[in-house]
RNA sequence: UGACCAAUGGUGUAAUGGUAGCACUGCAGUUUUUGGUACUGCCUGUCUAGGUUCGAAUCCUGGUUGGUCAACCA
């Protein structure tokens, strides 16, 4: 309730620059005062958190202004695209919590785009160029000086028509000719120097198969696709800003609906990379387990890592939208997932690095069941029973033989509380030949079981534990950041982002978990008390659960240790 | 040595000519049977030089810095 109020308030008072533009348009009655956005991925890779920003923006704006959002696959390059990606993209968008109004493909518009090209040729606004790729590139010139017009630029309409139709029929080999828009070879904007509209590509397309051997370029397809769908606001990232004059040129010269292209700054996050090409390389070179490796910034990777759709949506909302280049601190993403999981995740106890603890005055044949709270943040999640006995596992880091004064946990002569159980006192330690502590001997105070009056006694700390003879084991995958520098792309001479990979980004341990733990629903989120948030990985089996660490709990103590 | 875009604490993002606010991070404290959560407090900011104005983060001009553009990729 409180959240809804503040959200509403926020939505009303704080507009990002795109919403400001839209509200202005709405006020002026532009596009019949309607909003229709689209999310236009190319199906050549998996979606990542940067796409999530765009998805939340496009779908979010439509929701806010009671409009629609299309899903359109920008599939104009058959050699890079695949249905595998189409399916994955759709799954990711839905998992994030959005449903598109209708599903489209740029390839659905190939015939219309072709007819429009004919129209431009007839108007003398497009021509077939026989120059080689190298010649075209050379003639285009450089940004600081004008280009040179192609010798084929002034062919007759009839010849252009004939040539273009024969291009479609497949009479010419790949690369032999292109169709170009006749604009201005001297434009300071490189994209206006007679941009290529069509290239010959004798390649099978994932949807149109072999129906076409000429394919439109992005610039010739995108704006018109938007126009066909009646898109009102075509939101894209900053690098397309210089394409906008061309986007406008095609809409104007074709005399079709003219959506407004608006550019925003893409998302960057430190300690990771955010380009499809680089993510593909990580997968292909097997630096990670796959696109859905929990260390990847892909949406499927974050999902497998235990991130929730809500946490990602809230992240997208929190980072805002603007035109300035930005690098978001990874700690904000972590904050968003902790914030969400703190409310939702059931608590359980697990010991990742076990140390034996023996309660010398607890009868060896005795065992009892104690009540544990499933989620202190949500009483309706109820309670459970956990077994207690003489020999326990505790976390090795919860014991220290020679402890500094700010160490609150177990140390010889000190009392601590075993969560949900008794207050114990450390009496002595047992060591092996090399002097390593192999067990801690304690005594317990039977009057201090949780709930008893004596249990209110103040102790320095409370630690988690598991009954040694009852505990089950599980594989736990501890992930750390994939790269060990804030800007992996920022490499010195001769190095690449691969050289910045963190060799210790995955650590696998065998841990003890509560014996009653039977849930094997992939993706269920848990909090291992005092450790972090974990979720069940798809590699789990009924006899061997596998957990992924989503994110560690904030931990003042270990932070202090690292700094010291 | 071109065009376009941008510049607010460590990181993001507001303030739409009128008190520079919010979130994250960091630091300190309160509460706590999680060194978690919650709560409180603190640190830290308008790139620069001029101009317009009673008043400028905001408008104008110059500079500086950063980004984008020279695929038959999107």
């Amino acid at each position: 309730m409180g959240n809804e109020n503040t959200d509403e308030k926020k939505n009303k008072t704080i507009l990002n620059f795109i919403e400001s533009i839209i509200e202005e348009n709405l006020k002026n009655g532009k596009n019949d005062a309607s909003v229709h956005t689209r999310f236009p991925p190319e199906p050549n890779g998996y979606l990542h958190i940067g796409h999530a920003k765009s998805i939340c923006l496009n779908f979010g704006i439509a929701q806010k202004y009671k409009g629609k959002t299309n899903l359109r696959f920008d599939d104009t390059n058959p050699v890079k695209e695949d249905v595998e990606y189409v399916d994955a993209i759709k799954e990711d968008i839905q998992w994030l919590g959005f449903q598109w109004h209708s599903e489209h493909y740029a390839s659905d518009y190939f015939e219309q785009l072709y007819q429009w090209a004919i129209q431009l040729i007839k108007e003398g606004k497009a021509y077939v160029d026989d120059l080689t790729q190298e010649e075209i590139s050379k003639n285009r010139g450089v940004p600081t000086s004008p280009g040179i017009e192609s010798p084929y630029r002034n062919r007759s309409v009839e010849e252009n028509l004939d040539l273009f139709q024969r291009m479609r029929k497949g009479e010419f080999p790949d690369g032999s000719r292109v169709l170009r828009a006749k604009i201005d070879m001297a434009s300071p904007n490189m994209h206006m120097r007679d941009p290529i509209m069509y290239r010959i590509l004798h390649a099978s397309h994932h949807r149109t198969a072999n129906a076409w051997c000429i394919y439109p370029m992005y610039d010739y397809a995108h704006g018109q696709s938007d126009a066909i769908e009646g898109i009102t606001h075509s939101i894209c990232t900053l690098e397309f800003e210089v394409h906008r004059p061309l986007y406008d040129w095609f809409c104007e010269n074709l005399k079709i609906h003219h959506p407004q292209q608006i550019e925003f700054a893409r998302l960057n996050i430190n300690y990771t990379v955010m380009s499809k090409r680089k993510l593909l390389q990580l997968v292909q070179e097997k630096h990670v387990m796959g696109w859905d490796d929990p260390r990847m910034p892909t949406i499927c990777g974050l999902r497998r890592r235990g991130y929730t759709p809500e946490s990602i949506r809230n992240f997208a909302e929190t980072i805002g939208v603007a035109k300035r280049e930005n690098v978001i601190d990874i700690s904000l993403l972590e904050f968003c997932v902790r914030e969400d999981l703190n409310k939702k995740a059931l608590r359980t106890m697990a010991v990742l690095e076990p140390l034996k603890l023996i309660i010398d005055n607890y009868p060896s044949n005795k065992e009892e069941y104690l009540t544990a709270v499933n989620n202190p943040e949500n009483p309706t999640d109820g309670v459970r029973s956990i077994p207690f006995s003489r020999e326990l596992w505790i976390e090795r880091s919860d014991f220290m033989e020679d402890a500094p004064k700010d160490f609150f946990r177990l140390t010889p002569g000190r009392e601590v509380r075993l969560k949900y159980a008794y207050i114990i006192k450390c009496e002595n330690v047992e060591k092996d030949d090399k002097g390593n502590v192999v067990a801690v001997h304690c005594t317990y105070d039977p009057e201090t079981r949780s709930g008893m009056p004596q249990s209110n006694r103040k102790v320095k700390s409370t630690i988690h534990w598991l009954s040694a003879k009852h505990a089950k084991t599980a594989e736990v995958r501890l992930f750390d950041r994939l790269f060990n520098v804030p800007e992996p792309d920022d490499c010195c001479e001769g190095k690449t982002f691969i050289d910045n990979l963190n060799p210790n980004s995955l650590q696998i341990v065998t841990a003890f978990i509560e014996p009653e733990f039977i849930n094997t629903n992939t993706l269920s989120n848990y909090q291992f008390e005092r450790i972090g948030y974990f979720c069940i990985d798809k590699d789990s089996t009924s006899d061997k659960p596998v957990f992924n660490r989503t994110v560690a709990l904030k931990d003042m103590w270990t932070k202090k240790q690292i700094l010291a």
Side-chain angles (χ1 to χ4, degrees), chain A residues 44-51 239 266-269 272-283 291 296-298 483 489 497:
Chain A
N44 70 340
Y46 282 68
L47 261 26
H48 54 61
I49 182 83
H51 294 109
E239 66 269 27
R266 67 175 340 126
L267 168 66
N268 298 290
I269 300 181
T272 191
V273 293
M274 204 76 86
S275 99
K276 277 197 207 171
R277 203 206 89 229
K278 286 175 183 149
L279 295 175
L280 177 64
Q281 188 181 342
L282 291 173
V283 173
W291 284 101
M296 292 279 273
T298 49
F483 295 92
D489 294 325
F497 75 104

Side-chain angles (χ1 to χ4, degrees), chain A residues 114 117 121 160-168 179 198:
Chain A
Y114 178 81
I121 291 171
N160 280 322
L161 233 32
D162 174 61
L163 253 16
F164 186 52
Q165 282 159 352
R166 287 163 62 196
M167 277 169 65
R168 177 180 184 170
L179 183 71
Y198 273 94

